[in-house]
Amino acid sequence: MIEVRLFATFREGRDKIVYLEPEQASCPADVLDHLKIPHEEVAICLINGFHSKLSDPVKDQDVLALFPPVGGG
Amino acid sequence: MSEESRYSRQILLPQIGEQGQKRLAESTAAVIGCGGLGAPVLTSLALAGVGKLRLIDHDRIGLSNLNRQFLYEESELDKEKCERAADFLRRRNSGIVLETVCERLTEENAGRLLSGVDVIVDCVDRVETRRHAGRAARRLSVPLVEGGVHGFYGFVLSVLPGKSACLECVTAQEAEERGPVPAVGAVAGVIGSLQAVECMKILLGLPHVLYGRMLQYDGLYGEFTEVPVHVRPDCICQS
């Protein structure tokens, strides 16, 4: 399973953690499409804590963390 | 006024003690942004006896600031934030030095405005300013405490320049908030207070600073989540 952790406004109307089968998503862009999150709204995309592009591969056991822009002060 | 009795309750702590209090008194912190996050950061550090605070903010006080920026009063609308903030702090601790810089931090002036400090606290609302602050912290080799809020959500991340992940290590270049960011005063209070705790740990040389660990706060769930973040080898902070 791929564990998808959503943060801040991405949680609104969705679960905060979503699990996907590897067949359902080969990259973060697939995950975003599955969750109906517009790609341009993603500010931080981490695979296992490392910065990733939306086209980078995700595999079984990976933890994907997605964040909107970092916010104000 | 006895400075010993002012700080006696925190000197009781083994992590601070007389030596730690002296260390705080000899320290300088730069706080960029005297708004929703800057208010709890500045107040906490001033009351704790951090010897010198440099307040950096080009902005003036607006009515929409007053739901969270408790440094300011209704009678101070349109006045310069950093000067009014310094006045608020001076009336609460006359034993510290307050420097005010009523300028926007830019790529050109960041090195000058942030030189000679022991820690930098980023309390701004613009990605571009965060980038300038982060890069200046890297050039100056000064630890940086990042914080941000969006409505009921917020985060804190401390950065040891060149050693732990910075915001640019993890953020897509094009990412930017659109329009005014929703802000809840109590949430800014949570995040700003956490930033102040990080500052004190850094200044006191305490362990377990949030280097490489982004602490996310979700006020709606009532939940803190620690997210490990790693250095990106091709990030500018590694050059």
Side-chain angles (χ1 to χ4, degrees):
Chain A
M1 301 287 272
I2 299 163
E3 181 176 325
V4 184
R5 297 184 183 178
L6 300 176
F7 291 93
T9 52
F10 288 165
R11 294 178 167 189
E12 293 172 0
R14 304 179 184 91
D15 291 330
K16 59 183 180 180
I17 300 179
V18 177
Y19 294 93
L20 296 178
E21 297 290 349
E23 299 76 39
Q24 292 176 280
S26 63
C27 62
D30 291 344
V31 173
L32 293 171
D33 292 342
H34 184 86
L35 297 172
K36 297 183 170 54
I37 296 174
H39 295 197
E40 65 274 15
E41 289 185 9
V42 177
I44 299 176
C45 174
L46 303 174
I47 298 177
N48 303 323
F50 289 92
H51 170 76
S52 304
K53 295 176 187 158
L54 299 186
S55 57
D56 285 346
V58 286
K59 60 184 188 309
D60 193 26
Q61 305 294 315
D62 278 348
V63 176
L64 177 64
L66 298 167
F67 304 77
V70 293
Chain B
M1 190 181 302
S2 162
E3 290 301 294
E4 186 183 336
S5 61
R6 176 191 289 270
Y7 303 117
S8 61
R9 298 292 281 267
Q10 62 196 49
I11 287 173
L12 285 174
L13 289 163
Q15 294 87 354
I16 299 181
E18 299 281 356
Q19 280 299 106
Q21 194 59 50
K22 185 167 179 287
R23 200 163 167 168
L24 292 177
E26 291 169 351
S27 297
T28 300
V31 180
I32 314 167
C34 302
L37 294 174
V41 168
L42 285 164
T43 306
S44 297
L45 297 183
L47 296 183
V50 173
K52 189 187 289 185
L53 298 176
R54 188 174 301 163
L55 289 60
I56 304 170
D57 199 317
H58 73 287
D59 208 0
R60 290 175 181 271
I61 301 162
L63 188 59
S64 68
N65 300 151
L66 298 188
N67 78 321
R68 62 198 184 283
Q69 299 181 19
F70 58 80
L71 300 174
Y72 313 119
E73 301 173 10
E74 291 178 359
S75 62
E76 296 175 327
L77 291 178
D78 207 37
K79 292 186 174 165
E80 288 180 320
K81 283 187 179 180
C82 64
E83 294 297 345
R84 300 324 306 154
D87 184 61
F88 177 98
L89 299 170
R90 198 173 290 118
R91 284 184 280 122
R92 280 149 186 86
N93 191 346
S94 58
I96 61 170
V97 175
L98 297 161
E99 298 176 345
T100 56
V101 181
C102 301
E103 293 178 51
R104 183 194 292 279
L105 187 127
T106 65
E107 186 174 7
E108 289 73 32
N109 68 17
R112 174 173 57 87
L113 300 191
L114 299 174
S115 67
V117 305
D118 301 297
V119 65
I120 299 167
V121 196
D122 190 348
C123 300
V124 302
D125 54 4
R126 299 174 78 241
V127 170
E128 187 186 8
T129 311
R130 285 184 191 278
R131 195 175 296 136
H132 298 325
R135 291 181 183 186
R138 168 74 181 111
R139 287 194 301 274
L140 297 165
S141 293
V142 175
L144 172 71
V145 181
E146 298 276 9
V149 289
H150 182 118
F152 286 99
Y153 314 106
F155 82 94
V156 181
L157 173 70
S158 295
V159 181
L160 189 59
K163 305 285 187 193
S164 74
C166 70
L167 269 188
E168 285 196 78
C169 284
V170 296
T171 308
Q173 289 290 327
E174 62 274 16
E176 178 79 83
E177 292 267 14
R178 294 187 193 89
V181 177
V184 176
V187 174
V190 170
I191 298 299
S193 296
L194 290 170
Q195 286 182 280
V197 173
E198 285 298 292
C199 274
M200 289 187 68
K201 285 158 59 183
I202 290 168
L203 295 175
L204 291 165
L206 297 177
H208 314 304
V209 176
L210 287 170
Y211 294 137
R213 299 184 293 143
M214 181 183 276
L215 188 62
Q216 290 280 331
Y217 174 64
D218 183 332
L220 293 177
Y221 273 97
E223 175 187 88
F224 286 99
T225 308
E226 184 181 310
V227 181
V229 290
H230 301 295
V231 165
R232 180 162 55 87
D234 62 345
C235 181
I236 193 162
C237 76
Q238 296 300 300
S239 59

